[in-house]
Amino acid sequence: MKIVLASSNAHKVKEINEIVEKLGYNIEFILPEGDFDPVEDGNTFEDNSLIKAKAAWELTHTWCLADDSGLCIKALDNRPGIFSARYAETPQKRIEKVLNEMKNINSREAFFACAMTLINPNGKVEFSYKGICEGKIAFEAKGEHGFGYDPIFVVKNTNKTMAELNDDEKNEISHRSIALKKVLSYISEAHLAENE
Ligand code: IMP
């Protein structure tokens, strides 16, 4: 079964296909052809995930999965949240901005969220789920793996930032893998792949 991933991010499709393969599902995620850049003007991760999934369906009229994710910091009223990707110009500047805003704040609880929406070939929402990964904002960046805010996100019950975990370790606990596993179980339990 092929599913169009509503994204233009090659890193994301690679990460997702690695998880799928490791779990032994016969599903391949592919990117839409050409530029894919719908306007994400929703107010929640769920809204934006639905916007992206519908936009991919409009282009392909086939199975489409979208995800929308970001970092929510409780002391900052859940910012950067849906603005995570555009909180500052570069990944480095985004990290510096968060560390600066958190400079004098002791309460550092945060979570990554990932909302996924699966649309069927009829254009209807088939399944949706939001995965959460809890942790804390570090006082300084650490680690070389991953992307985005990984170097400043200390995973709950560990002393390690997300960027100190290798790909397999991150895929065990990440918000994206939690949501993806729910989507894959749904596809399997509903026998959707067998009809394709
Ligand atoms: P989108 O879901 O592709 O719209 O982008 C979400 C943004 O949230 C990314 O550009 C990152 O800044 C941040 N983000 C989402 N997931 C992760 C993660 O696993 N690690 C670090 N940053 C993330």
Side-chain angles (χ1 to χ4, degrees):
M1 180 188 196
K2 286 195 181 179
I3 302 178
V4 171
L5 184 69
S7 170
S8 54
N9 185 335
H11 179 97
K12 204 180 260 182
V13 78
K14 182 171 170 278
E15 183 180 307
I16 287 181
N17 277 326
E18 276 168 9
I19 298 172
V20 171
E21 201 178 319
K22 202 153 182 235
L23 294 173
Y25 288 93
N26 190 17
I27 297 171
E28 185 194 356
F29 285 89
I30 53 173
L31 293 178
E33 280 175 23
D35 278 350
F36 182 79
D37 194 15
V39 180
E40 297 174 35
D41 55 2
N43 292 320
T44 62
F45 294 115
E46 289 91 335
D47 287 351
N48 283 337
S49 160
L50 179 60
I51 288 169
K52 288 192 254 187
K54 279 186 175 163
W57 183 82
E58 290 294 340
L59 285 176
T60 62
H61 286 207
T62 185
W63 287 99
C64 294
L65 180 76
D67 79 328
D68 196 63
S69 55
L71 174 67
C72 299
I73 303 172
K74 295 185 186 170
L76 301 181
D77 293 327
N78 285 344
R79 273 187 286 119
I82 56 168
F83 303 107
S84 293
R86 34 196 162 132
Y87 205 45
E89 270 163 40
T90 63
Q92 185 56 35
K93 284 187 180 166
R94 293 194 268 279
I95 283 181
E96 281 164 15
K97 182 171 175 180
V98 167
L99 287 180
N100 203 31
E101 286 185 300
M102 293 296 289
K103 207 165 46 189
N104 298 315
I105 299 179
N106 287 327
S107 140
R108 306 188 72 88
E109 283 77 19
F111 60 93
F112 276 121
C114 174
M116 286 196 169
T117 307
L118 179 68
I119 293 221
N120 66 29
N122 297 322
K124 298 275 176 291
V125 173
E126 178 80 30
F127 186 74
S128 57
Y129 190 82
K130 185 161 78 172
I132 298 283
C133 177
E134 289 187 291
K136 285 187 173 185
I137 301 302
F139 285 91
E140 57 183 19
K142 251 200 227 166
E144 305 296 328
H145 298 281
F147 70 100
Y149 299 91
D150 281 346
I152 55 165
F153 184 85
V154 180
V155 180
K156 192 173 179 178
N157 297 329
T158 77
N159 284 323
K160 284 186 176 175
T161 67
M162 201 77 121
E164 292 178 287
L165 305 182
N166 64 35
D167 288 355
D168 282 348
E169 289 169 331
K170 179 174 175 182
N171 288 341
E172 285 290 314
I173 50 102
S174 83
H175 45 310
R176 195 166 300 101
S177 73
I178 290 170
L180 181 63
K181 282 172 191 164
K182 287 280 180 190
V183 171
L184 295 171
S185 317
Y186 175 83
I187 290 173
S188 165
E189 279 159 27
H191 304 287
L192 299 179
E194 293 158 27
N195 302 324
E196 288 301 299

